[in-house]
Amino acid sequence: MTSSADPKARRRLIALITVGVLVLVLAGIGVYGLLTGPAPRPDAPGGGHDPAPTATTPDGDGRELPAPRPVVASDDPEEFARNVATSLFTWDTGSGLMPLDYQAIIVEAGDPSGTEQAGLANDVAAYLPSREAWTDLRQYDTSQHLDITSASVPAAWEDALSQAQPGQIAEGTTAITIEGTRHRDGVWNDEPVTSTHEVAFTVFVVCGPTYDTCHLLRLSELDNPLR
């Protein structure tokens, strides 16, 4: 590579680390199929607060690589929403995994009725880099995590509940708006490169009495939360 190309490559790296992932505009924010709610399942798995163990997965050479950490279960809506947000924003391109691996671990925390599974998978994919962007970021050992600054039920959700007809929204369905700072770290010419970006989004969950533990329904568009 010539010296004249280095500034261009560096600018590309900064852009990849700094610019947020592109997301699809989801029609009818706050609707998401929640008006009918999930079908209650008497055999739904029970709740719990014990953190899940960190998993590993072998690579092609038989070495153990860190796997995405599962969303920690909780029967408290705010705590669960925070756990979802933490898992959603935590990834490492140097792990040997791909975006689909991180997507799958979030979808596993979804409503067990499967009503929102396809929509949730699309929501999560919109928060992750594309496969092409991931390959570029991997060259710079890019990783990401989230510092949460606030989590609360937005007024818009309270209004929606007050206007809903009996039975329109499953009992225990809640919207939690998360605000925080996304951190991305990478390496350029053996020197660390870091960026921060303020983010906000809404996590829709369903908890008791519909289920013994909370489950993820949908996610709002990134930086377009309910207020």
Side-chain angles (χ1 to χ4, degrees):
M1 180 182 297
T2 65
S3 59
S4 61
D6 289 341
K8 293 182 180 179
R10 182 176 177 83
R11 284 196 297 272
R12 187 178 185 219
L13 166 63
I14 298 299
L16 284 168
I17 292 179
T18 303
V19 176
V21 296
L22 296 178
V23 296
L24 299 176
V25 176
L26 301 176
I29 183 171
V31 178
Y32 295 144
L34 301 182
L35 292 181
T36 56
R41 271 184 36 179
D43 61 338
H49 297 273
D50 294 334
T54 301
T56 58
T57 181
D59 67 2
D61 298 324
R63 296 174 300 173
E64 293 297 325
L65 298 172
R69 186 181 182 86
V71 177
V72 179
S74 175
D75 58 10
D76 178 82
E78 180 181 325
E79 180 181 349
F80 181 71
R82 286 174 175 268
N83 295 343
V84 168
T86 297
S87 293
L88 180 65
F89 277 82
T90 301
W91 48 256
D92 185 350
T93 60
S95 65
L97 303 173
M98 297 300 292
L100 280 176
D101 299 306
Y102 289 92
Q103 178 189 24
I105 208 68
I106 304 298
V107 174
E108 284 182 8
D111 167 26
S113 76
T115 304
E116 298 290 342
Q117 184 176 21
L120 176 59
N122 288 334
D123 296 347
V124 177
Y127 278 72
L128 295 167
S130 67
R131 186 180 182 90
E132 292 74 18
W134 187 271
T135 301
D136 287 337
L137 290 167
R138 180 179 284 170
Q139 300 177 57
Y140 310 106
D141 295 326
T142 308
S143 62
Q144 176 179 282
H145 69 277
L146 178 70
D147 285 337
I148 298 173
T149 55
S150 69
S152 61
V153 177
W157 181 250
E158 298 284 10
D159 292 341
L161 290 179
S162 66
Q163 296 172 19
Q165 297 297 316
Q168 280 190 308
I169 298 177
E171 291 187 81
T173 300
T174 309
I176 304 291
T177 292
I178 303 285
E179 296 184 5
T181 304
R182 184 201 73 188
H183 300 265
R184 284 190 179 179
D185 302 290
V187 176
W188 170 262
N189 288 337
D190 297 324
E191 295 293 331
V193 179
T194 302
S195 76
T196 59
H197 179 71
E198 301 301 312
V199 296
F201 55 99
T202 301
V203 181
F204 294 88
V205 304
V206 58
C207 304
T210 297
Y211 296 115
D212 292 336
T213 190
C214 295
H215 294 281
L216 177 60
L217 290 171
R218 298 293 298 267
L219 301 166
S220 76
E221 181 184 13
L222 182 61
D223 293 331
N224 189 20
L226 294 185
R227 296 292 189 181

